[in-house]
Amino acid sequence: METHTRTTSKFNKAFSSMDILMIAFGAMIGWGWVVSTGDWIGTAGVIGAMLGFILGGVMIFFIGMTYAELTPAMPECGGEHVFSMRAMGPVGSFVCTWAIILGYVSVVCFEACALPTIITYVWPQFLQGYLYTVAGFDIYATWLATAIVFAIFITVINIMGAKTAAKLQNILTLAIGAAGILLIAASVVTGNPSNLDGQMFAGSGMQGMMGTIIKVAAVSPFFFIGFDVIPQAAEEINVPLKKIGKILILSIVLGVTFYALIIFSVGYVMNSGQIAASYNGSGLVTADAMANAFHSTIMAKVLILAGMCGIITSWNSFMIGGSRAMYSMAESYMIPRFFARLHPKTNTPYIAILVVGLLSVLAPFAGRKMLVWIVDAGNFGCILAYCMVSSSFIILHVKEPTMPRPYKVKHWKFIGAMAVLMSAIMIMLYVFPGTGVTLVPQEWAMVAGWTLLGVVFFVFSKLVYKEKFGYYAQLAVSESAKTEEQEETTAAARATSAIMAAEVSGLDEWSRGFDYFLPINLVFGQGKVEQVGKIAAAHGTTAMIVTGGSSVKRTGTYDRVRALLEREGMHTVLFDQVTPNPLTTTVEEGAKLAIAQHADVVIGLGGGSAMDAAKGIAFMACNEGGVSEYIYGDRSSSKALPIIQVPTTFGTGSESNGFAVMTNPDNGDKKSLRSPALVATASIVDPDLMRTMPSSVIAANGCDMLCHCIEAFTANNAQPFTDALALYAIPLIANNIVSLYRGEGTDEQWSKVCLAGTIGGMVINTAGITLGHAMEHPVSGLKDITHGRGLAAIEPVAIEATYRYNRFKFGRIARMLGGFTAEDCAPRMRTLLKSLDLDVTLGDLGIGKKDIPWLARNARKVSPGNLVNTPGSESTTSEESLEDLYASMI
C-alpha cells in the first residue's frame, strides 16, 4: 500500500463537542428503551437487568477505549476505514469498512419502517389502504407513505449540511434525554421500594440469577452501537483532538447510565404484576411507567413521542456514519469513485447520502419483518468491524509505536486484548445457538448477500482502478494548532451543561412572596366595539374622546365610536392633539379641556400614545399641580376620571396596565406616570379595529409587545401569574406576527396577536420592565423615534448583556423562538426582527456617539426602578456599562 499525505481537508469543520456527543448518544438511545425494558426486567429482574446492561457496557467500554485513542490519532473521514488501512492494508480495510456500512445502512432502513410502526402503537387507525403482505407483515398505504416521507426528509437534512443534521440531532436527543430524566425523577418521587419486591432478580439460586443477567448482558451491547459514528465524521469535528477521545468515552458512559436508570425507574414505579400486565397489553412498559409516575396517561404519550425522536436520532446518526464510510471507500478506489463527490455548497458527500437515502426509501416496500433480519445482520457487521478495529489498535501500537496519540490509553496491551476478546465474544453470540441473538437462516442470507455484493465491488474496483485500489492519503494534522481556545462555542456545544444546569437551578423569584392586583374589565373579541356606548353611559353623560390627529378619522373609527356613544344619549368632546410619544404639556392641555367640558369619562381611542394621553388627562382632570410632580413622586393620588380604552393598534399594552408614558419637552425625560387610578375602567379590545394598522406599525408594535413579555418574564419582580401569562403570550407573538406583517394574517392570527399585546400590558403592570425599555425611553425621548424601532435596536443587545444572570428563563424564551439555549435568545430575536424588517441600529435611527453620555445618564435618571429590576443589574446598569452598551448598538 502506497501512503500519500495531504495538508488540507475537503470537509467543513462543522461539528462541535456537543454535536458529536449528541450524534453518538442519540444513536445509542433510540427506541429500544421504550419497547424492550419490560422484556429485560422479565428476563433478569430490575437489578439483574441493570447489572446486565452495566456488564454489557463494560464489554463495549474496552472497545470504546480503542476508538478513543485511534480517532484523535487519525482524525480523518471514515474512521474504521482509516484505522484498518493503516494496520491491515487495503484488503483488511475493505472487509472492516464494508462490514460496518452494512450495520449503518441496515439501521437506516430499519428506522424508516420503525417510525410508522410506532405511530401505529399510538394511533391504530393510522393504518389505511392495505396493499400487500411480506413475511407475515401487512403493508398499508399510510404506513408506506409515512416511511417514504421521513426517509426523504432525513436525506435532505443531511445533504443540507453537517451542521443542519447536527442541529436536528441535538434538539431531538435532548428531548429524549429530558423525557428519560422526567421518568427517572418522577419515579424517585412517586415510586415505592415495595414495587421491587419479587422482581429484583430472576432465576432460582445464584447460578440461575447469573444466567439471566448474562442473557441481558448478551443483548445489551447492541444497544450501545453508535459511538463509532464519531470517527466516521472525525474530519468534520472542530474540537481539540484529545477531547474527541474523552467525548467518545463519555457517550458510552452516558448510554450505560441512561439504560440502567430507565430500567430501575420502571421497576421502582411499577410492581411485577403491573409490568406483566403492561407487557402483555400494549407492550410499551416504559410508557406505562411514565403514566404511573405522573398519574397521567398524557405523559405516556410524551414518552412515546420521545421514543419516536429516538428513532430519528438513530436514523440521522447512521445516515451520517454510513455516508462517510462510503465516501472513504470511494476515496480509496474501493467502490465506484462517484461516491466520493462532495456537494459544491455544503461539502457533504451527497452522492453517498442519496444512495443511503434511496435505500431507506425502498426498504419499507420489503416490510418490517424482513428489515428486522437485515438489522440483525447489520449488527453482526458492526461487531465484526469492532473486532477488526480492536485488532488494529494492537497492530498499530506494535507497527507504529511513535505515532502521535493525543489521547493515549494507559495499559494498551490489556485494553487491546480485552477489546478483541469482548468483540470476539459478541461475534460468537451471533454464531452459537441459544444465546438470544443468534442469527437465523434469513439473517445469514442477508450477511451472505452483502458479502457477495462486496466481492463484486472488490473485483470491479481492482479491475477498473488497478493500482489505485487502496489509495490512502494521510491527513497531516497539527495538534498544536487545535487549542482549547479554538473550540467551537456555539449554543449547541454548550447545550448539555447549560440546559441541565439552568433547568435545575431556575430561580423562584416569587419564593419570597408576591402581590398581584389588576382590576380591569377586559372586553375582548371581534365586534366588541359595539358595546362602547353602553359601557360609557354607565359613568355619566359626557365622554371626552382622546385621539391622534388623523388615523382614526381617516379609517372611520372615530365616527363609529362617536355614533355609538351618541346612540346612548351621550355628549362627546374631541381632543385630537396627541402625537407619538405624548408630551406632558399635551396631557395638561387635555385635562384643562376635560374640566372645562365637565367630562364624566375619558375614552382613549387609538394606539399607545392616545391611550397613555387619555390616562394622563383623566388623572390630571381630578388632581392639582403639574403632571411631572406626580411622575417624579413629589405628589401622589389615587383619583382619576373613569377611563375606557379602545385600542386601534395592538402591542403597546396601555389598555391593560396602570401607567402612562410621557415625554417632558423641556428636558427630554421620557418617564411614566404610575397609579392604580390609571387602570382602565374598561378596555374594549376588538381585533377588527386593528386591521387598518400599517405594516410598519405592525412590526414596531410586535417588537414592543414581545419585549414586554420577555422583560416581565425575566424581571427580578417576576412572579407566578406574570410568568404564566408571559409564557402564554410569547409563542402567540412569535408564531403569528410575521404573517400579519406580510398581510397574510387570518382572523385567528389577528385575535392571537391582539390578545398577546394585551397580556404584555398586564405583565409589565405587575412585574415591570427591564434594561431594554430603560435604555429605549431616553432614545425616543431625545429623537422622537418610534418606540418599537428603538427597542429593535436595543433589546437583542440588552438580552446578550443579561441572559447569563437568568439562564433558566432566557433559555425557555430561546426555545420558544426556535433556538436552543440561553445563548440563542438574542440571535433568535434578531432573526425574528429581520423578518419584520427591523434589523436596525441606533445609528440608523439618528443616534450618534455624542449622544451616548446623555442617554446613559438619562436612563439612570428616569428608569432607576427598571434598571434595578434587570437580571444582573449590579453588573449591567452602571453608567459606564450603559455607555458601553449604547456604543455597541450604534
Side-chain angles (χ1 to χ4, degrees):
M1 179 189 73
E2 183 179 0
T3 302
H4 302 78
T5 58
R6 54 192 171 100
T7 57
T8 59
S9 172
K10 298 178 181 179
F11 290 90
N12 297 329
K13 293 291 186 181
F15 294 135
S16 66
S17 302
M18 169 56 84
D19 295 335
I20 58 175
L21 178 61
M22 293 296 101
I23 287 171
F25 184 58
M28 286 187 273
I29 55 167
W31 172 251
W33 62 283
V34 177
V35 295
S36 300
T37 305
D39 185 48
W40 301 329
I41 292 175
T43 300
V46 177
I47 305 302
M50 291 176 67
L51 292 174
F53 263 82
I54 293 171
L55 181 59
V58 170
M59 296 172 70
I60 287 292
F61 182 82
F62 286 109
I63 298 169
M65 290 292 286
T66 67
Y67 274 80
E69 180 177 289
L70 292 172
T71 302
M74 292 167 277
E76 303 171 45
C77 180
E80 290 88 346
H81 169 76
V82 177
F83 308 155
S84 54
M85 180 76 80
R86 290 274 288 268
M88 303 176 177
V91 175
S93 179
F94 188 100
V95 173
C96 179
T97 314
W98 191 245
I100 207 160
I101 289 175
L102 171 60
Y104 293 149
V105 172
S106 68
V107 173
V108 169
C109 292
F110 178 79
E111 302 296 17
C113 294
L115 189 66
T117 302
I118 298 313
I119 294 175
T120 308
Y121 274 111
V122 185
W123 183 24
Q125 297 82 5
F126 165 74
L127 294 177
Q128 299 293 327
Y130 170 79
L131 297 176
Y132 55 91
T133 299
V134 178
F137 184 84
D138 296 333
I139 296 177
Y140 290 80
T142 51
W143 183 92
L144 191 62
T146 301
I148 292 172
V149 167
F150 274 92
I152 294 172
F153 169 75
I154 297 295
T155 303
V156 171
I157 286 291
N158 275 265
I159 292 175
M160 287 173 64
K163 195 63 182 177
T164 302
K167 287 180 178 178
L168 175 67
Q169 189 77 4
N170 292 342
I171 294 170
L172 297 183
T173 301
L174 285 172
I176 303 166
I181 291 170
L182 279 175
L183 171 59
I184 294 164
S187 70
V188 171
V189 176
T190 62
N192 194 314
S194 64
N195 287 330
L196 297 174
D197 293 343
Q199 63 170 350
M200 294 180 67
F201 295 93
S204 57
M206 180 61 67
Q207 186 175 355
M209 287 190 296
M210 288 304 300
T212 60
I213 292 172
I214 291 173
K215 281 186 178 180
V216 173
V219 300
S220 64
F222 312 113
F223 290 92
F224 301 130
I225 292 174
F227 67 89
D228 45 284
V229 176
I230 292 179
Q232 291 295 340
E235 204 164 323
E236 298 165 85
I237 297 174
N238 188 25
V239 173
L241 297 181
K242 186 175 183 179
K243 194 172 183 179
I244 296 175
K246 295 178 179 178
I247 294 172
L248 194 150
I249 295 299
L250 175 61
S251 71
I252 297 174
V253 172
L254 287 177
V256 175
T257 303
F258 183 86
Y259 278 108
L261 289 178
I262 292 295
I263 292 169
F264 176 81
S265 299
V266 172
Y268 197 67
V269 83
M270 296 176 72
N271 59 40
S272 58
Q274 291 172 317
I275 291 177
S278 175
Y279 184 76
N280 295 323
S282 68
L284 302 179
V285 177
T286 313
D288 290 338
M290 188 76 151
N292 281 14
F294 283 90
H295 307 295
S296 171
T297 57
I298 293 176
M299 294 306 295
K301 295 180 180 179
V302 169
L303 189 129
I304 291 171
L305 183 61
M308 292 172 67
C309 291
I311 293 174
I312 297 177
T313 57
S314 295
W315 193 343
N316 190 48
S317 290
F318 289 111
M319 173 74 80
I320 293 172
S323 60
R324 272 59 177 183
M326 286 184 176
Y327 170 90
S328 65
M329 291 191 77
E331 274 284 277
S332 293
Y333 296 91
M334 292 178 170
I335 59 177
R337 184 68 176 173
F338 62 79
F339 282 95
R341 292 177 186 170
L342 296 179
H343 194 281
K345 291 184 178 179
T346 61
N347 273 21
T348 53
Y350 73 102
I351 296 295
I353 293 172
L354 282 172
V355 170
V356 177
L358 177 61
L359 292 174
S360 66
V361 168
L362 296 176
F365 288 91
R368 186 171 181 269
K369 182 65 176 178
M370 187 172 292
L371 287 176
V372 170
W373 297 334
I374 292 176
V375 81
D376 287 343
N379 285 342
F380 176 80
C382 286
I383 300 304
L384 176 60
Y386 288 173
C387 189
M388 297 186 72
V389 168
S390 301
S391 300
S392 297
F393 171 86
I394 297 174
I395 293 170
L396 288 172
H397 263 283
V398 175
K399 188 177 178 181
E400 297 185 49
T402 60
M403 174 193 292
R405 291 174 169 86
Y407 182 88
K408 195 167 185 177
V409 172
K410 295 180 180 179
H411 312 296
W412 66 267
K413 293 180 181 178
F414 172 75
I415 294 295
M418 289 299 294
V420 172
L421 176 62
M422 295 301 167
S423 55
I425 289 174
M426 285 188 277
I427 290 175
M428 288 188 288
L429 291 175
Y430 274 108
V431 175
F432 295 124
T435 63
V437 293
T438 309
L439 296 185
V440 298
Q442 295 94 331
E443 291 162 351
W444 280 119
M446 302 290 180
V447 173
W450 186 256
T451 302
L452 179 61
L453 181 60
V455 171
V456 171
F457 273 128
F458 185 95
V459 173
F460 168 85
S461 300
K462 274 282 195 179
L463 293 175
V464 174
Y465 301 124
K466 298 181 173 59
E467 69 276 5
K468 289 183 178 180
F469 182 90
Y471 172 89
Y472 170 57
Q474 179 180 338
L475 178 63
V477 179
S478 173
E479 174 61 16
S480 62
K482 286 182 169 287
T483 64
E484 291 289 339
E485 287 72 27
Q486 290 175 307
E487 180 180 1
E488 183 179 17
T489 56
T490 61
R494 294 189 295 267
T496 295
S497 60
I499 289 179
M500 293 185 69
E503 292 289 353
V504 299
S505 61
L507 300 175
D508 290 334
E509 298 92 342
W510 49 269
S511 60
R512 59 184 180 273
F514 62 89
D515 298 313
Y516 187 84
F517 179 70
L518 188 61
I520 182 172
N521 176 24
L522 182 63
V523 182
F524 184 94
Q526 292 177 312
K528 293 292 186 179
V529 71
E530 296 293 324
Q531 299 181 24
V532 66
K534 290 183 179 180
I535 293 173
H539 301 287
T541 58
T542 302
M544 181 175 180
I545 302 175
V546 178
T547 187
S550 62
S551 61
V552 295
K553 297 176 183 176
R554 185 176 62 252
T555 61
T557 304
Y558 166 71
D559 290 335
R560 182 181 180 188
V561 169
R562 184 186 63 183
L564 290 167
L565 292 166
E566 292 175 349
R567 182 188 301 171
E568 298 299 323
M570 296 195 74
H571 171 65
T572 62
V573 177
L574 175 64
F575 182 77
D576 59 358
Q577 303 304 308
V578 181
T579 58
N581 299 311
L583 304 177
T584 54
T585 51
T586 303
V587 167
E588 290 172 348
E589 180 183 347
K592 291 176 183 178
L593 179 61
I595 294 170
Q597 294 293 325
H598 304 289
D600 298 309
V601 60
V602 177
I603 299 177
L605 179 62
S609 297
M611 289 188 286
D612 279 359
K615 293 178 184 178
I617 290 170
F619 183 85
M620 292 310 298
C622 295
N623 295 288
E624 299 178 348
V627 67
S628 293
E629 296 178 80
Y630 295 92
I631 289 175
Y632 285 101
D634 298 327
R635 292 191 181 201
S636 64
S637 174
S638 59
K639 296 186 299 180
L641 292 174
I643 304 166
I644 297 174
Q645 301 286 27
V646 184
T648 60
T649 66
F650 55 62
T652 67
S654 185
E655 71 275 11
S656 55
N657 59 45
F659 48 85
V661 181
M662 308 169 204
T663 300
N664 188 327
D666 296 331
N667 55 19
D669 288 357
K670 184 176 181 181
K671 191 170 173 63
S672 59
L673 170 67
R674 295 172 180 263
S675 171
L678 298 183
V679 177
T681 308
S683 285
I684 302 172
V685 183
D686 187 337
D688 286 344
L689 298 184
M690 319 290 180
R691 297 282 192 158
T692 58
M693 291 175 67
S695 59
S696 59
V697 178
I698 291 174
N701 287 19
C703 175
D704 189 17
M705 71 168 78
L706 181 59
C707 294
H708 286 164
C709 295
I710 290 174
E711 292 183 29
F713 180 60
T714 58
N716 293 334
N717 289 334
Q719 45 114 311
F721 293 110
T722 56
D723 280 1
L725 287 168
L727 289 174
Y728 182 78
I730 290 173
L732 295 183
I733 303 166
N735 297 336
N736 298 290
I737 190 67
V738 176
S739 294
L740 268 57
Y741 173 68
R742 293 173 178 170
E744 303 166 353
T746 63
D747 288 347
E748 181 182 5
Q749 288 179 308
W750 277 98
S751 293
K752 285 181 176 179
V753 174
C754 289
L755 177 59
T758 299
I759 290 174
M762 295 169 69
V763 294
I764 64 175
N765 183 81
T766 303
I769 47 180
T770 59
L771 184 61
H773 271 75
M775 294 185 70
E776 197 290 322
H777 284 164
V779 171
S780 52
L782 178 65
K783 294 294 183 179
D784 195 30
I785 63 172
T786 302
H787 176 55
R789 287 178 62 81
L791 283 172
I794 292 171
E795 193 72 26
V797 179
I799 291 172
E800 288 173 334
T802 56
Y803 77 82
R804 61 183 58 85
Y805 301 105
N806 197 336
R807 299 181 61 90
F808 171 72
K809 286 193 168 182
F810 280 106
R812 292 192 72 176
I813 296 167
R815 290 185 283 282
M816 285 187 284
L817 296 180
F820 199 59
T821 67
E823 286 86 348
D824 291 332
C825 191
R828 297 306 304 178
M829 180 82 168
R830 287 193 175 95
T831 299
L832 179 60
L833 293 175
K834 190 172 183 179
S835 299
L836 298 171
D837 295 321
L838 284 178
D839 49 341
V840 296
T841 64
L842 289 184
D844 297 331
L845 302 177
I847 298 296
K849 291 184 178 180
K850 61 180 175 46
D851 300 316
I852 290 176
W854 183 88
L855 293 173
R857 289 194 304 271
N858 192 257
R860 289 177 60 80
K861 173 187 175 183
V862 303
S863 300
N866 299 334
L867 294 177
V868 172
N869 200 26
T870 299
S873 58
E874 63 281 358
S875 302
T876 57
T877 61
S878 66
E879 190 169 320
E880 181 181 358
S881 297
L882 292 175
E883 287 186 1
D884 291 341
L885 288 173
Y886 276 123
S888 69
M889 299 169 187
I890 295 176

